[in-house]
Amino acid sequence: MADAEKLIALYTRAGERLLELIRSLEEGNYSRRRKESLLMEVDEILAGLTDGAAQSMAELLAEAYKEGVDEAADSIRAQSVPEEQINTVLEPLIHQQAVQAIMDDSFLQILEATDNMSQDAKRRVEETVRTATERMLTEGVGRRQATKEAVARLAQQEITGIVARNGARIPADKYMAGVVQYNLRKAHVTGAEKTIVQNGLDLVYVNYVGITCEYCAKYQGRVYSISGTHPRFPKLEVRPPYHSHCVHSLSAWIEDYQAADEVERMVAASNRPFTDNRTEANIRRYNEIQRDKVRKNETRKQWIRYKAVLPNDTPDLRRFASLKARGGQAYKDLQELYRKANVVNREQILPKNVAVIKSYGQNVIMVREQLIVNGPEWKSIQLAEAHLAKRKKRGHIPADWTMENYDNKIRQIVENHESQVYQYRHPGFDQDYYVFGDGTRWIAIIGQDGKLETAFPFDNERKYRNYLNVDEGYTYIGTTKEVYHELRNGD
């Protein structure tokens, strides 16, 4: 019997195996034969994944469809329709075609995820070899050290399953979790609808869920006409599921078996404007649930990063989440151990991040050149003056500095070709930020919209380095010179 969680786990494990292949390069053995062997292993892992996922998905979809059929029959039965009048026999052609259409869509998504995983894994193998070789030739770094540092950087992020429209790389298991849940719900809803139609019924009810998103809120709790011919109920044009983790479904709604006042209530509810009508309390609760999901997901991603760098010192995910939630000394010790081991955050071995430059380098250039031409642009004059006052109060700048002095310092940092650039992002941000740092004390943070967020110095280089930590959402890109050079001369 197939299981949705086990299917998603196939992608988690495949991603881990691909990262293990990349980490196997750490010893510096990347001869042509070795590299070709790794690329073949990538293909073998993903071929097995595709076959296993397709088989499991087919079984799961068949089960979900049958559950939808049974649930629709139950909804008819619950309205006092005599048992002998309920048709639950699956008509082979109708139902087979319905399931096959969903399976075809699912299989295309499986293939797309597998293709992205293959490209991502192979790119990392190639980039590990190329980056290590470049550092050996240009900086004189030893093969083993150069490779280990390249692997540490490239094995931190999970293997990509899909690239979103905004360029975000969605991990394979996270993407497939959405694919699986969406298609299973779609199979369930389709099975219910086909059974309702098979029984000569036209009206269906979309269940009401109090704590839901603004999109689902527009459609839930209504009765619809499948055919669109009913004079008092709207046509079923937008069917659940409405998104990947949607919990809405369809059930039969038989007007003849409803009380008159219930019919009138449902007519009014079904014909209200298609707008979000949630209460403020429900909206707040929904947002709280989403924030909690984001926190849990961030904890999981953080655990993966720690596990990659400290495989023997990082506990399992549940223990790690518990340590983080308590925030005690054990978690602080683990953080410090990670920071020391994380070579990406050591000044003497900060390699440029070619992949990030290719994805976001143009944004860096855009915000930098905008500042050079127009000077620092704050979100408001009040914010700029507040920052100036704060820096003086904290002793970050001389007491006699004007706004012009402060802006000139910021301009100096951003204009310097040797300044270090970081990408700064969190799930809750509405845009990415770019950090320009002098390498020892000062940083300036600019939004992708070109507006200055803040600029300040640290007491010493150690605090500067610890602050710009990958664990806190900062990803090192390279110096401004490296960004320009890579975009001009990169492949």
Side-chain angles (χ1 to χ4, degrees):
M1 183 70 70
D3 179 271
E5 289 299 321
K6 290 180 180 177
L7 172 52
I8 297 165
L10 290 177
Y11 284 85
T12 302
R13 179 55 189 146
E16 291 171 350
R17 290 179 65 192
L18 293 175
L19 290 176
E20 287 169 7
L21 288 182
I22 295 166
R23 293 190 192 106
S24 71
L25 288 167
E26 280 188 341
E27 295 303 314
N29 175 17
Y30 45 77
S31 64
R32 180 177 178 180
R33 180 176 296 180
R34 172 63 176 150
K35 188 176 76 170
E36 289 176 351
S37 174
L38 285 178
L39 297 180
M40 287 179 62
E41 287 186 67
V42 169
D43 289 336
E44 290 172 4
I45 290 171
L46 294 177
L49 172 65
T50 302
D51 291 344
Q55 181 177 346
S56 295
M57 182 67 90
E59 294 176 9
L60 287 168
L61 288 174
E63 292 170 14
Y65 190 94
K66 181 63 168 62
E67 288 170 2
V69 170
D70 293 342
E71 191 171 294
D74 287 343
S75 69
I76 297 171
R77 195 174 290 114
Q79 294 174 78
S80 302
V81 175
E83 184 70 34
E84 61 273 11
Q85 295 182 21
I86 302 174
N87 181 4
T88 58
V89 178
L90 298 181
E91 297 180 12
L93 183 59
I94 295 175
H95 295 290
Q96 183 178 347
Q97 288 176 340
V99 173
Q100 188 61 50
I102 300 171
M103 184 59 220
D104 289 344
D105 289 341
S106 302
F107 190 61
L108 286 176
Q109 291 170 309
I110 288 172
L111 291 178
E112 184 177 22
T114 303
D115 185 52
N116 283 320
M117 293 175 76
S118 175
Q119 291 181 33
D120 188 25
K122 290 179 178 179
R123 175 189 61 81
R124 296 195 206 192
V125 171
E126 297 280 3
E127 190 171 334
T128 297
V129 174
R130 183 175 58 78
T131 302
T133 303
E134 282 181 1
R135 296 199 66 213
M136 287 166 53
L137 296 175
T138 61
E139 302 175 34
V141 179
R143 177 190 291 264
R144 181 171 294 186
Q145 180 185 353
T147 309
K148 188 173 183 180
E149 291 162 9
V151 168
R153 176 171 62 83
L154 290 166
Q156 284 186 5
Q157 302 298 323
E158 296 171 87
I159 297 296
T160 300
I162 196 73
V163 180
R165 291 180 181 177
N166 63 0
R169 291 182 170 273
I170 310 301
D173 54 354
K174 180 180 178 182
Y175 170 64
M176 286 306 299
V179 168
V180 170
Q181 297 301 328
Y182 178 83
N183 285 294
L184 291 187
R185 176 57 56 176
K186 186 176 181 180
H188 185 283
V189 170
T190 304
E193 183 179 349
K194 295 294 184 184
T195 301
I196 290 167
V197 171
Q198 183 173 290
N199 278 271
L201 302 172
D202 183 52
L203 297 180
V204 294
Y205 174 70
V206 172
N207 58 314
Y208 176 86
V209 179
I211 309 301
T212 192
C213 70
E214 59 181 315
Y215 188 81
C216 291
K218 295 188 296 185
Y219 298 103
Q220 68 173 359
R222 300 176 190 257
V223 169
Y224 298 87
S225 166
I226 296 174
S227 67
T229 59
H230 197 285
R232 298 211 292 169
F233 290 104
K235 183 178 181 179
L236 180 66
E237 294 182 313
V238 181
R239 292 165 169 75
Y242 303 117
H243 52 79
S244 60
H245 292 283
C246 184
V247 296
H248 288 90
S249 189
L250 299 177
S251 59
W253 196 85
I254 308 174
E255 187 174 1
D256 292 344
Y257 288 86
Q258 307 295 327
D261 58 344
E262 175 61 15
V263 172
E264 293 307 313
R265 186 190 73 80
M266 193 54 71
V267 167
S270 302
N271 287 283
R272 70 176 179 82
F274 284 87
T275 56
D276 181 2
N277 69 335
R278 296 174 298 168
T279 65
E280 288 298 322
N282 281 351
I283 292 173
R284 284 196 302 271
R285 180 57 185 150
Y286 175 79
N287 291 336
E288 288 171 3
I289 292 171
Q290 296 310 302
R291 285 194 293 270
D292 185 55
K293 287 181 179 178
V294 169
R295 282 194 295 269
K296 288 179 179 178
N297 192 42
E298 283 303 303
T299 296
R300 181 174 175 274
K301 289 181 178 179
Q302 181 187 355
W303 174 77
I304 290 171
R305 292 197 299 268
Y306 275 51
K307 198 70 175 175
V309 177
L310 301 169
N312 298 322
D313 297 285
T314 305
D316 61 43
L317 178 56
R318 180 175 295 181
R319 173 67 175 159
F320 180 84
S322 177
L323 290 175
K324 181 179 179 180
R326 292 201 300 270
Q329 192 59 46
Y331 178 65
K332 292 176 181 177
D333 290 344
L334 185 60
Q335 281 185 307
E336 185 60 27
L337 187 61
Y338 174 79
R339 290 185 178 120
K340 289 179 179 178
N342 191 348
V343 295
V344 174
N345 289 308
R346 291 181 184 171
E347 163 62 19
Q348 67 273 23
I349 47 178
L350 277 174
K352 64 182 178 182
N353 193 327
V354 176
V356 179
I357 291 176
K358 288 181 178 178
S359 297
Y360 301 98
Q362 290 294 349
N363 292 344
V364 172
I365 291 174
M366 179 188 72
V367 299
R368 178 178 182 270
E369 294 187 351
Q370 183 175 327
L371 185 141
I372 291 173
V373 172
N374 301 323
E377 293 186 61
W378 295 83
K379 291 181 178 179
S380 67
I381 295 175
Q382 294 79 5
L383 178 65
E385 292 175 345
H387 271 275
L388 179 67
K390 182 189 292 185
R391 299 302 151 222
K392 290 180 179 180
K393 182 178 181 181
R394 294 185 177 181
H396 290 161
I397 60 176
D400 61 352
W401 266 26
T402 63
M403 197 71 226
E404 183 179 1
N405 296 133
Y406 189 27
D407 282 348
N408 284 340
K409 179 62 180 178
I410 294 167
R411 183 191 288 272
Q412 175 190 346
I413 298 167
V414 176
E415 288 186 354
N416 189 345
H417 282 288
E418 300 300 328
S419 287
Q420 300 173 339
V421 186
Y422 292 76
Q423 180 192 40
Y424 180 36
R425 70 190 316 180
H426 271 299
F429 289 176
D430 57 4
Q431 64 175 335
D432 287 344
Y433 291 85
Y434 298 96
V435 182
F436 293 81
D438 64 7
T440 57
R441 292 193 66 222
W442 272 89
I443 65 171
I445 304 179
I446 307 173
Q448 192 165 319
D449 59 3
K451 299 296 177 62
L452 195 70
E453 185 71 21
T454 187
F456 57 90
F458 296 91
D459 294 337
N460 52 55
E461 185 178 346
R462 181 181 60 81
K463 290 185 178 180
Y464 171 98
R465 190 64 47 203
N466 284 343
Y467 186 88
L468 297 171
N469 194 285
V470 67
D471 192 33
E472 302 299 329
Y474 296 92
T475 299
Y476 183 67
I477 298 177
T479 64
T480 54
K481 179 169 63 178
E482 288 172 332
V483 172
Y484 278 79
H485 183 271
E486 185 65 33
L487 291 179
R488 279 199 308 267
N489 304 314
D491 294 334

